[in-house]
């Protein structure tokens, strides 16, 4: 389950046994564990794309900054493996840090570029460099035809897509829509740490995005006002950022922008930091 050569041998054997076509396609779902229903939706999509599904579980130290507690990140490997077995996943790659970085922290890293310094990157310097480095390593280890990511980490998705294009990587990227609770709350491993009153407050994030989508035909300002109004009414929510970015370059859109974009929000609810995002189609403000 955790050795690189052993995993490669098992994947190669599975490909040799499979009929040519989709059954022989290798699909990778990279995770850091603490799996929830959102992760399992990625697994189900992976099964739809290929017959050999590999799920990696690795808490990558390169993604953690000096002020972040790597040791406290939730690790639920036994429960994760059981959940993946129930989903029919035969290949779980859960390496030790020493397996991925046998000589200590990697000297050679993938640099994510200017977008990595914005938004989540401003809060977590170096996070996206670490993410792209480990994703590249996992691609090289597993050799997938397709890799599956969730839309909830929108900036991560953009940077992975940019890196794969810039580096001419042949692996296809599949992006799965955000999975939400019936209440609208985006699924996250952090949700389990919210108190009941905080869960109620956290609903303001998805409500703000929904209000912005409804107001979007009237333009950028209307969408922003609608979202801010919802968030400001919830005292337990401390806004980090609320921004509308272009899907082409992930830069904040200018006043007067019209067309498809994405609104992203990050906020603390109590001590827990949550993120969410939604596609938005901005129209022209009435004259």
């Amino acid at each position: 389950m955790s050795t690189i050569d052993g995993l490669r041998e098992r994947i190669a054997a599975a490909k040799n046994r499979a009929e040519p076509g989709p059954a022989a396609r290798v699909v990778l779902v990279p995770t850091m564990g603490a799996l929830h229903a959102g992760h399992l939706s990625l697994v189900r999509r992976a099964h739809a794309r290929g017959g050999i599904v590999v799920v990696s579980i690795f808490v990558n130290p390169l993604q953690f900054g000096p002020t972040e507690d790597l040791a406290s990140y939730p690790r639920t490997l036994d429960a994760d493996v059981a959940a993946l077995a129930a989903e029919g996943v035969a290949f779980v790659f859960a390496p030790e840090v020493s397996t991925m970085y046998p000589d200590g922290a990697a000297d050679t890293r993938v640099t994510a570029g200017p977008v990595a310094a914005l938004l989540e990157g401003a809060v977590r310097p170096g996070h996206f460099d670490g993410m792209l480095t480990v994703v590249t390593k996992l691609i090289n280890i597993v050799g997938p035809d397709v890799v599956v990511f969730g839309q909830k980490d929108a900036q991560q998705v953009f940077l992975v897509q940019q890196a794969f294009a810039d580096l001419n990587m042949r692996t296809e990227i599949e992006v799965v829509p955000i999975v939400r609770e019936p209440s609208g709350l985006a699924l996250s491993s952090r949700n389990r740490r919210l108190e009941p009153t905080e869960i109620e407050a956290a609903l303001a994030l998805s409500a703000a995005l929904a209000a912005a989508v409804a107001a979007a035909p009237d333009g950028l300002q209307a969408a922003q006002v609608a979202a801010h109004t919802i968030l400001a009414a919830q005292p337990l929510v401390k806004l980090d950022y609320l921004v509308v970015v272009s899907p082409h370059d992930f830069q904040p859109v200018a006043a007067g922008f019209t067309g498809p974009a994405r609104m992203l929000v990050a906020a603390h609810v109590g001590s827990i930091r949550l993120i969410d995002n939604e596609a938005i189609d901005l129209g022209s403000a009435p004259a």
Side-chain angles (χ1 to χ4, degrees):
M1 185 170 66
S2 61
T3 67
I4 291 173
D5 288 343
L7 177 70
R8 286 171 168 164
E9 289 173 2
R10 292 176 61 210
I11 292 172
K15 292 185 72 171
N16 288 336
R17 290 193 301 268
E19 294 291 329
R25 190 180 296 143
V26 179
V27 187
L28 170 66
V29 183
T31 82
M32 293 212 300
L35 303 183
H36 51 66
H39 294 107
L40 299 183
S41 74
L42 306 184
V43 171
R44 292 171 194 137
R45 184 56 186 161
H47 279 302
R49 293 300 315 276
I52 304 169
V53 174
V54 182
V55 178
S56 65
I57 299 175
F58 179 61
V59 181
N60 178 29
L62 297 190
Q63 292 175 230
F64 289 76
T67 62
E68 297 176 294
D69 192 353
L70 173 63
S72 69
Y73 191 87
R75 292 164 171 83
T76 57
L77 182 59
D78 289 344
D80 293 345
V81 171
L84 294 172
E87 293 290 335
V89 175
F91 297 93
V92 178
F93 180 50
E96 300 291 337
V97 173
S98 59
T99 299
M100 293 296 283
Y101 306 113
D103 298 317
D107 290 329
T108 302
R109 304 191 186 190
V110 179
T111 301
V115 170
L118 305 175
L119 305 174
E120 291 305 293
V123 177
R124 307 177 67 188
H127 167 73
F128 289 118
D129 289 356
M131 177 275 295
L132 286 181
T133 298
V134 80
V135 166
T136 302
K137 286 176 68 70
L138 289 168
I139 294 295
N140 288 334
I141 290 168
V142 175
D145 301 287
V146 183
V147 61
V148 181
F149 291 93
Q151 181 59 57
K152 181 170 173 288
D153 294 316
Q155 191 171 4
Q156 171 177 279
V157 167
F158 176 86
L159 289 167
V160 168
Q161 290 172 327
Q162 178 178 263
F164 278 36
D166 287 347
L167 300 177
N168 302 107
M169 296 178 72
R170 299 177 65 181
T171 302
E172 180 186 345
I173 300 168
E174 178 85 6
V175 181
V176 176
I178 296 171
V179 177
R180 299 183 180 278
E181 301 280 4
S183 62
L185 183 65
L187 292 184
S188 170
S189 58
R190 297 180 181 185
N191 292 352
R192 69 186 71 181
R193 297 164 56 193
L194 294 168
E195 299 294 337
T197 55
E198 293 172 341
I199 293 175
E200 186 68 25
L203 299 181
L205 274 69
S206 57
L209 294 173
V213 170
D218 291 329
L220 174 61
Q221 184 177 7
Q224 290 173 322
V225 168
H228 277 291
T229 298
I230 298 291
L231 295 167
Q234 181 47 259
L236 290 181
V237 174
K238 305 302 180 186
L239 184 64
D240 187 349
Y241 60 75
L242 178 75
V243 63
V244 179
V245 301
S246 165
H248 304 297
D249 59 10
F250 221 80
Q251 298 296 321
V253 301
F257 177 93
T258 61
R262 186 164 292 274
M263 177 175 276
L264 299 95
V265 62
H268 279 87
V269 181
S271 63
I272 308 303
R273 189 171 182 276
L274 301 175
I275 61 172
D276 202 348
N277 67 90
E278 190 63 76
I280 188 169
D281 195 357
L282 296 167
S284 300

